[in-house]
């Protein structure tokens, strides 16, 4: 009986369990997993679309900023530099000096499109580019990640063109009032190919000998052109002034500016355009552009004050010409440092540059008695040199970690060796410009001649070189 009772209990439990299992719905794991997988895929697709829209918005903003900056830099040549230089020469030469700036806007543009851009930014050689982008082959709306990952390479190309235009135009300040127009055109063509293009590649091009970001042997910090633009043009201006000799009557005959009003307007246009020159060199509308923008303004302001103060101490008054010259000197000096320093170092760099360039223009020039007509060397050569050296002192990784996260940038950042790199870059730029310019001058002098005749110089270059006069004063 006991065994029978146990058996009956087991049978009852088994039947009850079977009944419970039969009442529960069958498992359907795959069916319940399908909506979850679809939801995950939808979220992933939406996130990807959102990333694409964000990237497109960033690219559009960066591209708009860079196109504006390109226009600002072109404005620095014409009308900025044309008016600044035009007001400083005598009335009989105002059209001639302005024509040189305007002609270079056209000449360098054509040379740039043919082969200039490729020589500056093609390939990865240490000293010069190659011909891979000759005739702008391969330059379109797709970015080149080596240089600017968020803007079309076509935008990068046109922005860099504006630098190539203004650089040789700066030299005309030293040759003003005595150089043939034909000689100017040939000289600037050869100078662009054999001085500017190699220097631009060495400092800014991939693999360039002095490039700080893309594998250079001596990484020289040059944010927007202290060596490439100002040292090369300023030193070349000095060579040209020495080679051409002094203007007829210099220094005994007074040669005051014919219109400081024009120069004043030109200097103000240069100051505004320089924001495109320096802040635009961030190649994006980001915090680095803001850093460069602020440093540019502070450097110019400090130099305008220090030049005026120096002039006040020396002459008992501050002149308008001194103030605008000081501002330009500060803009020149802050150019290589703009993207590496904060506001206070920018003030220091500008203040030092104003005093140094004032001394170069007033004392150094008098001691050696050379005729740099519009002080292209005293402002651009000297200002670019002091600015490049001070960049090595004041550069900070907090503003631009160009050597990598956590690595110091300049001397005050703990990397005093960078001052040595800056010195190498400066000396190389000086030597390259000196030798290259002298050789080119000899070639041009043999082909077209460089200097106008004494009769033409006395009559003025407006009428003798272009058959025009700047002002018709007939009533």
């Amino acid at each position: 009986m006991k065994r029978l009772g146990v058996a009956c209990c087991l049978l009852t439990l088994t039947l009850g369990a079977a009944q419970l299992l039969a009442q529960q719905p069958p498992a359907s794991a795959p069916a319940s997993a399908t909506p979850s997988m679809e939801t995950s895929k939808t979220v992933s697709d939406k996130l990807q679309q959102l990333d694409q829209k964000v990237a497109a918005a960033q690219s559009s903003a960066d591209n708009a900023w860079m196109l504006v900056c390109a226009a600002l830099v072109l404005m620095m040549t014409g009308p900025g530099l044309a008016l600044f230089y035009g007001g400083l020469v005598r009335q009989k030469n105002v059209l001639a000096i302005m024509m040189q700036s305007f002609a270079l806007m056209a000449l360098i543009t054509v040379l740039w499109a043919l082969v200039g851009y490729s020589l500056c930014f093609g390939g990865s050689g240490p000293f010069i580019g190659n011909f891979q982008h000759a005739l702008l082959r391969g330059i379109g709306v797709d970015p080149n990640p080596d240089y600017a990952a968020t803007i079309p390479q076509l935008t990068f190309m046109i922005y860099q063109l504006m630098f190539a235009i203004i650089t040789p135009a700066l030299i005309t300040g030293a040759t003003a009032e005595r150089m043939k127009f034909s000689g100017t055109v040939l000289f600037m063509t050869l100078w662009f190919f054999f001085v500017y293009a190699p220097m631009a590649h060495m400092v800014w091009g991939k693999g360039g000998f002095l490039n700080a970001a893309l594998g250079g042997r001596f990484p020289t910090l040059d944010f927007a052109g202290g060596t490439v633009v100002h040292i090369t043009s300023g030193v070349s201006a000095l060579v040209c002034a020495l080679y051409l000799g002094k203007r007829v009557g210099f220094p005994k005959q007074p040669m005051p500016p014919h219109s400081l009003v024009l120069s004043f307007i030109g200097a103000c246009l240069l100051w505004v355009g320089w924001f495109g020159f320096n802040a635009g060199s961030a190649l994006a509308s980001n915090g680095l552009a803001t850093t460069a923008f602020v440093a540019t303004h502070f450097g110019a302001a400090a130099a305008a004050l220090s030049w005026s103060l120096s002039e006040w101490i020396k002459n008992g008054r501050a002149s308008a010409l001194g103030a605008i010259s000081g501002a330009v000197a500060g803009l020149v000096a802050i150019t290589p440092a703009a993207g590496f320093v904060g506001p206070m170092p920018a003030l220091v760099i500008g203040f030092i540059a104003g005093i140094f360039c004032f001394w170069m223009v007033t004392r150094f020039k008098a001691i050696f008695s050379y005729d740099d007509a519009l002080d292209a060397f005293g402002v651009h050569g000297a200002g670019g040199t002091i600015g490049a050296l001070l960049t090595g002192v004041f550069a900070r990784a907090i503003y631009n970690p160009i050597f990598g996260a956590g690595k110091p940038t300049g001397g005050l950042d703990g990397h005093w060796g960078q001052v040595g790199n800056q010195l190498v870059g400066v000396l190389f730029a000086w030597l390259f410009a000196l030798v290259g310019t002298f050789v080119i001058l000899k070639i041009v002098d043999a082909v077209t001649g460089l200097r106008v005749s004494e009769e033409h110089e006395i009559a003025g270059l407006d009428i003798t070189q272009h058959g025009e006069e700047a002002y018709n004063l007939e009533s």
Side-chain angles (χ1 to χ4, degrees):
M1 288 296 292
K2 187 176 181 179
R3 291 180 179 178
L4 181 61
V6 171
C8 288
C9 288
L10 290 173
L11 180 61
T12 301
L13 291 171
T14 302
L15 291 173
Q19 187 177 7
L20 288 172
L21 290 172
Q23 290 175 355
Q24 291 184 3
S28 56
S32 63
T34 301
S36 176
M37 292 174 62
E38 290 178 353
T39 301
S40 177
K41 186 175 184 301
T42 301
V43 171
S44 178
D45 289 344
K46 288 184 176 180
L47 287 175
Q48 185 176 5
Q49 291 173 6
L50 182 61
D51 287 342
Q52 291 173 349
K53 290 180 179 179
V54 170
Q58 179 186 1
S59 178
S60 297
D62 290 346
N63 193 46
W65 164 244
M66 292 309 303
L67 290 174
V68 170
C69 287
L72 286 172
V73 180
L74 181 62
M75 185 186 75
M76 291 173 66
T77 304
L81 188 69
L83 285 170
F84 184 66
Y85 278 177
L88 293 177
V89 297
R90 288 170 288 179
Q91 181 179 319
K92 60 185 179 181
N93 296 311
V94 58
L95 281 181
I97 193 71
M98 296 179 82
M99 179 59 179
Q100 290 175 6
S101 289
F102 189 83
L104 285 169
M105 292 167 64
L107 175 64
I108 300 301
T109 295
V110 174
L111 298 179
W112 188 257
L114 294 177
V115 72
Y117 175 75
S118 191
L119 292 176
C120 293
F121 295 100
S124 58
F127 298 108
I128 190 67
N130 57 23
F131 296 100
Q132 72 178 95
H133 296 309
L135 306 180
L136 298 183
R137 183 172 57 249
I139 307 301
V141 296
D142 293 329
N144 183 336
D146 288 331
Y147 297 113
T150 62
I151 62 173
Q153 190 173 6
L154 201 62
T155 300
F156 177 78
M157 180 277 298
I158 200 69
Y159 177 69
Q160 292 296 337
L161 164 61
M162 305 313 173
F163 283 72
I165 288 172
I166 194 171
T167 305
L170 297 173
I171 302 173
T172 62
T175 63
E177 302 193 313
R178 59 199 190 279
M179 191 168 179
K180 290 181 179 179
F181 183 68
S182 58
T184 299
V185 171
L186 180 57
F187 171 81
M188 295 303 179
T189 299
L190 297 177
W191 192 89
F192 168 73
F193 282 126
F194 295 105
V195 177
Y196 181 83
M199 277 302 302
H201 181 80
M202 281 187 276
V203 176
W204 291 332
K206 183 179 180 181
F209 182 67
L210 301 174
N211 192 294
L214 298 172
R217 176 67 179 83
F218 291 96
T220 302
L221 299 178
D222 188 354
F223 190 72
T227 53
V228 178
V229 176
H230 298 295
I231 292 180
T232 55
S233 64
V235 172
S236 296
L238 176 62
V239 177
C240 288
L242 292 172
Y243 189 93
L244 284 174
K246 301 173 184 178
R247 288 167 289 176
V248 174
F250 181 89
K252 295 180 180 180
Q253 178 184 334
M255 299 179 182
H258 94 281
S259 175
L260 282 178
V261 172
L262 292 183
S263 296
F264 205 96
I265 296 170
C268 292
L269 287 170
L270 285 171
W271 191 329
V272 174
W274 224 290
F275 293 126
F277 198 88
N278 285 359
S281 292
L283 301 175
S285 54
N286 54 19
L288 184 58
T290 301
T291 297
F293 193 108
V294 172
T296 299
H297 189 64
F298 281 35
L305 290 178
S306 65
W307 186 302
S308 296
L309 179 61
S310 301
E311 195 172 42
W312 206 328
I313 292 172
K314 182 177 185 292
N315 302 325
R317 59 183 179 274
S319 68
L321 177 57
I324 60 177
S325 298
V328 174
L331 291 165
V332 169
I334 199 61
T335 291
F340 300 106
V341 301
M344 294 303 106
L347 287 175
V348 174
I349 292 173
F351 194 84
I352 294 172
I355 296 173
F356 181 66
C357 291
F358 173 79
W359 181 82
M360 290 293 295
V361 167
T362 58
R363 295 297 302 140
F364 184 87
K365 181 179 175 180
I367 292 170
F368 292 95
S369 189
Y370 59 89
D371 186 12
D372 178 5
L374 308 183
D375 294 313
F377 171 70
V379 172
H380 296 278
T385 298
I386 195 68
L389 294 175
L390 291 175
T391 299
V393 175
F394 290 105
R396 296 288 304 277
I398 190 174
Y399 299 109
N400 189 346
I402 191 170
F403 298 131
K407 295 183 178 180
T409 304
L412 296 183
D413 218 16
H415 179 34
W416 285 102
Q418 187 56 40
V419 178
N421 290 331
Q422 297 299 111
L423 182 60
V424 171
V426 166
L427 291 176
F428 194 91
W430 266 76
L431 183 62
F432 196 77
L434 280 170
V435 176
T437 302
F438 180 75
V439 172
I440 293 169
L441 286 171
K442 295 293 286 185
I443 294 172
V444 175
D445 203 7
V447 175
T448 65
L450 285 167
R451 184 161 180 163
V452 298
S453 66
E454 183 174 338
E455 293 78 10
H456 284 187
E457 186 176 336
I458 293 172
L461 272 60
D462 286 2
I463 192 69
T464 60
Q465 295 293 298
H466 304 288
E468 301 170 296
E469 292 183 275
Y471 306 103
N472 185 353
L473 301 179
E474 296 180 1
S475 58

